[in-house]
Amino acid sequence: MSARIIDGKGAAAALRAKVAVEVAGYRAATGRAPGLAVVLVGEDPASAVYVRSKGKATLEAGMLSFEHKLPAEISEGKLIDLINELNSDPAVDGILVQLPLPDHIDPNQVILAIDPDKDVDGFHPINAGRLAIGLTGFTPCTPLGCLKLLKAELGDLSGKNAVVIGRSNIVGKPMAMLLLAEHCTVTIAHSRTRDLPEVVRAADIVVAAVGRAGMVKGDWLKPGATVIDVGINRVAGEGGNSHLAGDVDFASASQIAGAITPVPGGVGPMTIACLIRNTLVSAARRDGFELPEDL
Amino acid sequence: MSARIIDGKGAAAALRAKVAVEVAGYRAATGRAPGLAVVLVGEDPASAVYVRSKGKATLEAGMLSFEHKLPAEISEGKLIDLINELNSDPAVDGILVQLPLPDHIDPNQVILAIDPDKDVDGFHPINAGRLAIGLTGFTPCTPLGCLKLLKAELGDLSGKNAVVIGRSNIVGKPMAMLLLAEHCTVTIAHSRTRDLPEVVRAADIVVAAVGRAGMVKGDWLKPGATVIDVGINRVAGEGGNSHLAGDVDFASASQIAGAITPVPGGVGPMTIACLIRNTLVSAARRDGFELPEDL
C-alpha cells in the first residue's frame, strides 16, 4: 500500500488565498486592513527566517505587517512595555512574540502581557482555557493547521481513534483538545508512555509532535491510518550537508499509512496560513465583520 | 479476585483534618480565618443540600462561611454585582456559585465574573488554561479529589494507561490534564467512542464520569485496574424507594478491579474536602503563608 501524500503546501496556499479574498472584503467594508505585529528579540537565525516568512505572508494577504526587532539584551520590562503599546494600538489586531526568548526573559510573563483578544498564537492561558472549555478564543496555529488537513482528508472525525504523540502546550495539548471537540477518542502519549508502538497501532489518526527524527515507524501504524507529522528536525547527512526530517519515518510509514504529510511541505506551511487566518479573525471580531464559518 | 475498596470517606476526613490543622496555623500567623462565599440561586433541593454540606465543612475546618441565598428570579446583572462585591471583599478567599443556575442566567458569564484568584471551583477559563499549561491556579475539586485517591492508592502514576470516560469541563477534561501532568498516557473516551469496552480494557486506571448508572461492566476491565467512579445516579428501586449508584457496575467490577471507589462514600466526600483545601490554598497564596506541598 502506498499512502496518499497530503499536500500541506497546496492546502496552505488555498487557505491563504481564501484569507486574501476575505481581507479584501474586510478592507472594503471597514476602510482599514488587519494588522499583525511580530516581535523578534535577538538574532537567532531560525527565528529571523520565521519572522520574515510571517511578514511576507501577512503582506501577501493584503494585511499590514509591523515588525519589531529588539536587541537580545532588552529587559523583560521594556519588552512588556512594547506589548502594552501594541495592545492599545487600534491598528494592531494580532500580536506574536517569536519564541524562544533570551534566558533572562520569562516567556510566561510576556505571553500573559498580550491582550488575549490579540493573542493570535493562542498561547495565553485564557485562550488555552477557552479551547479546553469550548469558548471562542484563539487556537495555536500548528494544531489548527493539522486539524484543517485532517478534516480535508477525512471529513467527519467523529468516533475516530486519535493518538497525539507529544504533550507540549503549543502542539500536543491543544491538538488533543481540538480532536476531542471533533468527537475523536483521544489518547495523549509522550516520553513516559509504555509500549508506544502498541498505542499508535490502535489509532486511525496519528499526530506526531515530539521532535525526534524518524521516531514513528511504519510497523507501528494501523494500515490505512492518517498520519500528520509535525516534526521538523534537521538531520546531518553526508559531506556536511543536512536535510529536514519529520518525527515519522516517511519511507516505512508511507507504505502502511492511508495518507501522510511530508516534511517539508506538510504541516509547516499550514502554520503560517493559520496565523494569517487568526489575524483576520481577530480583526473581524473587533469590527463585527462576518467570515465564512469554515475559514 | 475481590477489589480493595477505596475509602473516600476516610480519605476525605483525613484531608479535612489536615486542612483544619493548617487553618489553625494560618489563623495564628495572620490573625484571620480563610473565608468561603457560597452563592445559591433558587430553591433546587439537591443544590441546597450541597450548599449546606459545604458550609458545614468550611466551619468545621475553622474557616468562615458566607452563604448568599438569592431568589430564582434574580437577574444576571444583580448576581454579577454580588460577585463583584465578593471579589473585592478581603474577608472572602473563595467564591463558589452553586450550579446549575436558572435558565435565564448564562453560567459562563457568571463564572467569568469571578476573580480567577478566588475561583476555588477552578471553573474560570483562565484556571482551565493554567491547568492545561501547567501554571499555578485552581483545579476543579472533583478531579482533584480523584487524583488524590489515585495517588494514595498507587503512588507514582508515571507511565500508567489512564482512561477517562466523559469529557465534561468540570470532571473529564481537567481529570485528563491532571493525569497527563502525572505522566500517565491518557485516553479521553465519551459517548462517540467506538468499542468503549476495548478502550477501557487497556487501562490501568479508569475514571468514569458519564452519569449513567452501572454503565461500566466488570468484564470491560483489565484485571487489577484501579477504578474511580465519579457517577452519582439516583436509581429507582422497589416499592417507590431509590438508591444511589455509580457509573460503574460495582458488583461485577469489584470482582475484576484491583481497587475501586464505592458510591456513595468514594469520590463524593473528597469533592468537598478539596473545596476546603482550595479555599485555604487561596488564603495562603494571598498572604504568602506556606502550606505543605502535598496538601
Side-chain angles (χ1 to χ4, degrees):
Chain A
M1 185 157 158
S2 199
R4 235 180 70 80
I5 307 302
I6 298 175
D7 179 11
K9 215 168 153 182
L15 177 54
R16 284 167 61 169
K18 222 160 127 183
V19 169
V21 169
E22 295 300 325
V23 166
Y26 173 89
R27 291 175 67 154
T30 65
R32 75 174 197 94
L36 173 63
V38 178
V39 180
L40 174 63
V41 180
E43 312 272 339
D44 180 63
S47 291
V49 170
Y50 287 132
V51 165
R52 214 172 306 132
S53 308
K54 289 168 185 176
K56 191 163 160 275
T58 307
L59 296 174
E60 282 174 7
M63 307 200 288
L64 301 176
S65 170
F66 311 107
E67 282 186 25
H68 295 268
K69 295 188 179 169
L70 306 173
E73 315 78 54
I74 194 170
S75 71
E76 187 176 300
K78 287 277 181 208
L79 175 56
I80 289 177
D81 287 347
L82 169 62
I83 290 173
N84 285 330
E85 274 173 44
L86 299 172
N87 284 342
S88 51
D89 184 344
V92 172
D93 299 288
I95 302 169
L96 179 157
V97 178
Q98 184 67 41
L99 302 178
L101 290 166
D103 288 343
H104 67 280
I105 299 178
D106 178 354
N108 284 328
Q109 290 306 317
V110 172
I111 289 166
L112 276 173
I114 298 173
D115 177 347
D117 294 330
K118 293 188 176 186
D119 169 39
V120 287
D121 253 346
F123 293 167
H124 192 290
I126 203 161
N127 281 320
R130 287 166 171 166
L131 175 61
I133 290 178
L135 302 175
T136 299
F138 289 107
T139 303
C141 301
T142 298
L144 180 59
C146 295
L147 184 72
K148 286 181 177 295
L149 294 178
L150 282 167
K151 289 176 79 168
E153 182 64 30
L154 296 170
D156 183 15
L157 306 184
S158 179
K160 297 203 181 291
N161 284 332
V163 170
V164 178
I165 316 174
R167 53 175 163 167
S168 73
N169 293 331
I170 292 175
V171 183
K173 287 187 231 173
M175 187 79 244
M177 288 298 129
L178 285 171
L179 291 166
L180 192 61
E182 296 291 331
H183 312 301
C184 292
T185 301
V186 180
T187 298
I188 311 169
H190 45 78
S191 56
R192 310 283 187 98
T193 292
R194 296 180 194 151
D195 203 352
L196 183 59
E198 184 67 23
V199 171
V200 172
R201 222 165 267 133
D204 306 304
I205 294 169
V206 178
V207 180
V210 284
R212 281 181 55 192
M215 190 184 80
V216 177
K217 310 296 182 197
D219 63 5
W220 296 16
L221 299 173
K222 178 198 274 195
T226 302
V227 178
I228 304 290
D229 189 349
V230 181
I232 302 182
N233 309 287
R234 189 156 284 283
V235 176
E238 283 169 38
N241 290 331
S242 71
H243 67 282
L244 293 180
D247 292 344
V248 178
D249 179 49
F250 189 84
S252 63
S254 59
Q255 297 305 309
I256 309 291
I260 186 169
T261 58
V263 176
V267 172
M270 283 301 282
T271 297
I272 287 185
C274 286
L275 173 65
I276 305 305
R277 178 246 179 222
N278 278 358
T279 303
L280 170 62
V281 166
S282 176
R285 280 186 196 148
R286 293 149 67 79
D287 287 311
F289 181 81
E290 212 166 311
L291 294 174
E293 268 205 20
D294 63 341
L295 188 73
Chain B
M1 184 159 158
S2 197
R4 236 179 68 79
I5 308 302
I6 298 175
D7 179 11
K9 215 168 152 182
L15 177 55
R16 285 167 62 170
K18 223 161 124 182
V19 168
V21 168
E22 295 300 325
V23 167
Y26 173 89
R27 292 175 66 156
T30 65
R32 76 175 195 94
L36 173 64
V38 179
V39 180
L40 174 63
V41 180
E43 312 270 341
D44 180 61
S47 291
V49 169
Y50 288 132
V51 165
R52 213 173 306 130
S53 306
K54 289 168 183 176
K56 191 163 160 274
T58 307
L59 296 174
E60 283 175 7
M63 307 199 289
L64 301 176
S65 169
F66 311 106
E67 282 186 25
H68 296 266
K69 296 188 179 169
L70 305 173
E73 314 79 53
I74 194 169
S75 71
E76 188 176 299
K78 286 275 181 209
L79 175 55
I80 289 177
D81 287 347
L82 170 63
I83 289 172
N84 284 330
E85 274 173 43
L86 298 172
N87 284 341
S88 52
D89 184 343
V92 172
D93 299 287
I95 301 169
L96 179 158
V97 178
Q98 184 68 42
L99 301 179
L101 289 167
D103 287 343
H104 68 281
I105 299 178
D106 178 354
N108 285 329
Q109 290 306 318
V110 172
I111 289 167
L112 276 173
I114 298 173
D115 177 348
D117 294 329
K118 293 187 175 186
D119 169 38
V120 287
D121 253 346
F123 293 167
H124 193 290
I126 203 163
N127 280 319
R130 287 165 172 168
L131 175 61
I133 290 179
L135 301 175
T136 299
F138 289 107
T139 304
C141 301
T142 298
L144 180 59
C146 294
L147 184 72
K148 286 181 177 295
L149 293 178
L150 282 168
K151 289 176 79 168
E153 183 64 29
L154 296 170
D156 182 16
L157 306 184
S158 179
K160 295 201 182 292
N161 285 333
V163 170
V164 178
I165 315 173
R167 52 175 164 167
S168 72
N169 292 331
I170 292 176
V171 183
K173 287 187 230 171
M175 186 79 245
M177 288 299 130
L178 285 170
L179 290 166
L180 192 61
E182 295 291 331
H183 313 299
C184 292
T185 301
V186 180
T187 298
I188 311 170
H190 45 80
S191 56
R192 310 281 188 98
T193 293
R194 295 181 195 152
D195 202 353
L196 183 58
E198 185 67 23
V199 172
V200 171
R201 224 165 265 132
D204 306 304
I205 293 169
V206 179
V207 180
V210 284
R212 282 181 54 192
M215 190 185 78
V216 177
K217 311 296 182 197
D219 63 6
W220 296 16
L221 299 173
K222 179 198 273 195
T226 303
V227 178
I228 304 290
D229 189 349
V230 182
I232 301 182
N233 310 286
R234 188 157 287 282
V235 176
E238 284 169 38
N241 290 331
S242 71
H243 67 282
L244 293 180
D247 291 343
V248 178
D249 180 46
F250 188 85
S252 63
S254 59
Q255 298 303 309
I256 310 292
I260 187 170
T261 59
V263 176
V267 172
M270 283 302 282
T271 297
I272 288 185
C274 286
L275 173 66
I276 305 305
R277 179 249 180 219
N278 279 357
T279 304
L280 170 61
V281 166
S282 176
R285 280 186 196 149
R286 292 149 68 79
D287 287 311
F289 181 81
E290 212 166 310
L291 294 173
E293 269 205 19
D294 63 341
L295 188 71

